[in-house]
Amino acid sequence: NNIIKNNGDSGIYILSGNPTITNNTIEQNSRGIYTTGSSAAISSNSVNFNTNEAISSSFICSFSDNFGSSNGTDGIVLTGGSGGITKIDTITAAKPNSLPYIVSAPSRVVASSTLVVETGAVFKSGGGFSGGRLDVYGDLLVQGNIASDIIFTSSSAFPNPGDWQGIRMYAG
């Protein structure tokens, strides 16, 4: 229940560990939340009016029920890094948020890992991000019940074919 604002870089910058970031207002920073090398639990935060991304992460942490608007990019931007958006020997859940997951480049589900995409999750690419797709070397479990439960689409206001480059499956 904190207000974190007016930082020149990220409102919250997480380099490692397993912190829990819950019920905060994060606004008017360069970016709202940045995490890399962490297994953070980030939930129910209001992330607004940040110059760049609402949230930027090298891989999918435990994101749930986060919301925001008027950021440079209203979403959870997955940068992937050299290791992918999942960790070896883990099951990672992409939970629903009002902020979509933004795949900023080819993003890898690493071998010996599972990405579970839960009902209500939205993945986007395109717009200012080119080449967005999921490269799956591990397992992918998409848990939708009807056609609109989980969405993979363009982040552009004026979508073009190829903004979202799809899901590619590879031998792990």
Side-chain angles (χ1 to χ4, degrees):
N1 295 322
N2 300 294
I3 297 174
I4 302 162
K5 66 189 289 185
N6 297 324
N7 290 287
D9 194 345
S10 301
I12 298 176
Y13 193 100
I14 307 165
L15 290 176
S16 63
N18 304 312
T20 298
I21 311 296
T22 303
N23 295 320
N24 297 290
T25 299
I26 304 160
E27 59 188 25
Q28 299 174 358
N29 304 289
S30 176
R31 86 170 52 90
I33 300 171
Y34 176 81
T35 179
T36 184
S38 167
S39 295
I42 300 173
S43 64
S44 302
N45 295 289
S46 174
V47 189
N48 304 297
F49 305 107
N50 295 287
T51 306
N52 297 302
E53 307 91 354
I55 301 172
S56 179
S57 182
S58 57
F59 53 84
I60 298 176
C61 295
S62 177
F63 297 110
S64 63
D65 301 320
N66 295 290
F67 53 96
S69 65
S70 301
N71 297 287
T73 301
D74 285 324
I76 301 167
V77 177
L78 302 174
T79 59
S82 60
I85 61 171
T86 59
K87 293 181 179 180
I88 294 173
D89 297 327
T90 62
I91 297 173
T92 302
K95 299 174 185 277
N97 290 272
S98 70
L99 295 169
Y101 295 94
I102 308 287
V103 180
S104 63
S107 295
R108 180 181 292 221
V109 176
V110 298
S112 301
S113 74
T114 300
L115 175 60
V116 178
V117 181
E118 295 185 1
T119 297
V122 176
F123 279 76
K124 293 185 173 186
S125 185
F129 303 100
S130 61
R133 68 174 186 261
L134 291 180
D135 290 340
V136 180
Y137 291 84
D139 295 318
L140 177 65
L141 178 58
V142 181
Q143 296 182 320
N145 296 314
I146 59 174
S148 62
D149 279 353
I150 297 171
I151 300 171
F152 295 91
T153 189
S154 173
S155 63
S156 176
F158 304 100
N160 291 301
D163 284 349
W164 172 256
Q165 293 190 0
I167 300 171
R168 298 180 184 182
M169 308 297 285
Y170 298 93

